Amino acid sequence: MVVKVYGPHYASTKRVLVCLAEKGIEFETLPVDLIKGENRNPEFLELQPFGSVPVIQDGDYTLYESRAIIRYYAEKHKSQGTDLLGESIEERGRVEQWLEVEAQNYHPQIYNLTLHILFATALGFAPDEKLIRESEEKLAKVLDIYEERLSRSKYLAGDFFSLADLSHLPFTQYLVGPMKKEFMIRSRKHVSAWWDDISSRPSWKKVSLL
């Protein structure tokens, strides 16, 4: 059965798409234009009452929130494609730990940068330069911790690629690409090597073109 994925052009949705690609799950994408407010249409709000993307429909099963979705498919199809959860309960715990680090420490800062540098004008408000500076400083401190971690293991949860790494791909691509802040990655030897590794995966190359 083909999984329907709403909102493919946005970073959080690409988190889901790269997971599906790693697992070899067929999907189709349905565009949702947030700038035009299509996420506030009654039909969409029936699927996602908070009006955000992504949303998936897998047969008669609907799920939203990108990290919930990737956990769902990594568990449901654990033996298919890339194992993104680890082989032991200890490895799974480490994956979950770094997924939470991404969600609670990395994402808030990089989201602020993305919103205020790339999308503020389109959304009709002025970029907050003070918030941009503060978010960059906080993100740098997070990346320093990543640098130490990645000096001891190839990937965040250990020596295997997992959801913890995958979850960083879409917003970090904004950082090194259109935000022109690649120096934040390249100035840290082990973070830089990690980024080169995960961003060169065929799954991400496929999804990043969508």
Side-chain angles (χ1 to χ4, degrees):
M1 184 173 293
V2 177
V3 178
K4 295 181 179 180
V5 185
Y6 292 80
H9 302 303
Y10 300 98
S12 292
T13 308
K14 290 181 186 294
R15 182 180 287 124
V16 171
L17 295 176
V18 73
C19 177
L20 295 176
E22 286 284 344
K23 302 305 289 184
I25 299 169
E26 190 176 356
F27 60 84
E28 68 170 301
T29 59
L30 295 90
V32 179
D33 193 324
L34 303 187
I35 303 297
K36 293 181 179 178
E38 291 177 356
N39 56 314
R40 295 297 173 186
N41 292 342
E43 297 83 2
F44 186 78
L45 291 174
E46 286 185 13
L47 299 174
Q48 217 297 21
F50 298 101
S52 61
V53 294
V55 181
I56 64 97
Q57 287 183 299
D58 191 340
D60 60 0
Y61 183 67
T62 300
L63 192 64
Y64 52 83
E65 295 296 340
S66 63
R67 294 175 190 83
I69 296 169
I70 64 175
R71 284 178 167 108
Y72 168 72
Y73 281 110
E75 184 66 53
K76 181 180 180 181
H77 299 282
K78 193 174 191 312
S79 62
Q80 176 178 324
T82 306
D83 183 354
L84 298 169
L85 296 173
E87 296 181 355
S88 67
I89 190 65
E90 289 78 15
E91 288 182 348
R92 174 66 179 269
R94 198 75 71 189
V95 171
E96 294 290 349
Q97 171 185 280
W98 283 98
L99 263 176
E100 288 300 313
V101 170
E102 184 271 328
Q104 304 298 330
N105 297 277
Y106 188 87
H107 182 75
Q109 315 313 327
I110 203 166
Y111 178 80
N112 284 341
L113 293 173
T114 301
L115 182 64
H116 285 267
I117 294 173
L118 299 183
F119 296 110
T121 301
L123 292 171
F125 63 89
D128 186 331
E129 297 298 336
K130 181 174 182 290
L131 182 61
I132 290 172
R133 288 194 303 273
E134 290 175 348
S135 297
E136 185 171 325
E137 290 169 1
K138 290 177 181 178
L139 182 61
K141 292 178 180 178
V142 174
L143 286 169
D144 287 342
I145 294 171
Y146 279 40
E147 177 69 5
E148 194 280 329
R149 170 60 182 168
L150 292 165
S151 72
R152 294 184 286 113
S153 64
K154 185 175 182 180
Y155 300 103
L156 288 171
D159 291 323
F160 60 99
F161 179 77
S162 74
L163 290 183
D165 309 290
L166 177 155
S167 194
H168 288 78
L169 280 163
F171 280 92
T172 307
Q173 184 62 55
Y174 281 153
L175 187 75
V176 303
M179 275 195 269
K180 303 186 187 308
K181 293 187 180 293
E182 188 176 15
F183 68 90
M184 297 191 72
I185 301 298
R186 297 306 177 196
S187 61
R188 296 166 174 86
K189 175 183 175 182
H190 297 99
V191 172
S192 182
W194 168 75
W195 173 249
D196 285 342
D197 184 313
I198 67 173
S199 63
S200 66
R201 295 182 71 85
S203 60
W204 177 243
K205 289 184 176 181
K206 173 184 177 181
V207 168
S208 62
L209 296 175
L210 295 176

